[in-house]
Amino acid sequence: KRVLLDMTTYTDSISRPARTLTENEQRLLLKVTGQRLDGFRDHVIYSVALGAGLREHEIVALNVGDVFDEAGHARRRLRLRVFKRASEDPAPQEVMLPDLVRAKLEKLVASRRHAGEALTPETPIFVSRLGRRLSTRQLRRAFSVWQKRCGFDRHFSFHTLRHCACTNVYRASRDIRLTQRFARHKSVLSTAIYTHPSDEELLRSVQSLIC
């Protein structure tokens, strides 16, 4: 009975693909936010979400001391203090930051230091215009604004960026176990939603057919 239940769960999981932005929409989001001075904070946030698969509450909880070492360099391996807990006593969770994301984080913090901010290890990485820790509500509101500026014809939740990150890892590796580790899923069944082929992949395959 347990096996049948697991198989049913697996079938349900793989039958519902995760909702994601297209590759072009992801690039456009980063381009539009990266080109504007008032968008750089959000540009870095979206890079962290797409490059490390962090959830919104994990992103806003990041402090300077979590990300940067004593020399002021962004760490490649990041240990999270705040993350989705599957039990009362969860194992520590770590993520890997791509070099491009690390460089953007260093640029963001350097600009804040240049502006005269006193940054301590407990200082939030992402703050509002008032200098307070960014809330998840503010994060979602800003994401809605940038989607409109990008001209998206459909609306996405912020969590969609995590779905994009996990899907991108699977499409690049075709390794569900690697994707499971990236997503920090306890069960590989939860990772199955990222194994669906995209419309872009289907189109590329069709274009290569002998016809």
Side-chain angles (χ1 to χ4, degrees):
K1 186 175 181 180
R2 176 62 182 277
V3 173
L4 289 176
L5 179 61
D6 287 346
M7 287 304 298
T8 300
T9 303
Y10 177 74
T11 302
D12 289 344
S13 296
I14 63 174
S15 66
R16 296 191 302 271
R19 189 166 185 256
T20 61
L21 283 73
T22 65
E23 295 173 10
N24 287 337
E25 287 171 334
Q26 293 174 52
R27 294 190 184 97
L28 180 60
L29 176 67
L30 293 174
K31 179 181 178 181
V32 172
T33 54
Q35 287 178 338
R36 298 181 54 142
L37 186 61
D38 65 343
F40 188 66
R41 179 205 66 186
D42 296 334
H43 174 82
V44 179
I45 288 174
Y46 305 147
S47 289
V48 170
L50 289 168
L54 293 187
R55 302 173 177 89
E56 57 186 25
H57 68 279
E58 296 169 341
I59 291 175
V60 298
L62 292 175
N63 289 341
V64 170
D66 299 325
V67 178
F68 292 87
D69 59 23
E70 293 76 10
H73 301 299
R75 296 184 174 91
R76 176 170 284 113
R77 187 185 297 270
L78 191 80
R79 173 167 287 201
L80 300 178
R81 289 179 300 102
V82 176
F83 50 87
K84 183 178 179 181
R85 297 173 183 271
S87 65
E88 293 183 1
D89 187 27
Q93 292 194 15
E94 290 186 337
V95 296
M96 296 282 195
L97 291 181
D99 288 346
L100 183 57
V101 174
R102 293 169 62 215
K104 291 178 181 181
L105 284 162
E106 290 175 358
K107 183 178 178 180
L108 177 67
V109 168
S111 67
R112 291 177 60 185
R113 284 203 177 98
H114 184 72
E117 290 188 51
L119 304 181
T120 69
E122 290 73 36
T123 301
I125 290 286
F126 301 111
V127 296
S128 67
R129 293 181 180 179
L130 298 178
R132 299 170 184 161
R133 185 184 300 277
L134 199 67
S135 69
T136 54
R137 182 178 180 180
Q138 291 170 318
L139 194 73
R140 296 182 203 123
R141 185 185 304 123
F143 188 47
S144 294
V145 170
W146 285 115
Q147 290 181 67
K148 293 178 182 176
R149 291 179 177 177
C150 289
F152 291 172
D153 57 5
R154 49 185 181 155
H155 181 269
F156 299 94
S157 69
F158 187 87
H159 195 70
T160 304
L161 297 181
R162 171 172 163 82
H163 288 323
C164 291
C166 297
T167 300
N168 291 343
V169 168
Y170 178 76
R171 289 175 182 166
S173 66
R174 295 298 171 184
D175 188 329
I176 195 169
R177 290 294 181 182
L178 178 65
T179 309
Q180 177 189 7
R181 181 177 175 184
F182 174 84
R184 293 172 283 129
H185 285 156
K186 187 174 182 180
S187 170
V188 74
L189 297 179
S190 301
T191 316
I193 61 172
Y194 303 121
T195 62
H196 292 266
S198 67
D199 289 346
E200 292 105 321
E201 288 178 306
L202 177 59
L203 179 59
R204 283 194 290 266
S205 296
V206 170
Q207 297 288 20
S208 65
L209 291 177
I210 299 173
C211 56

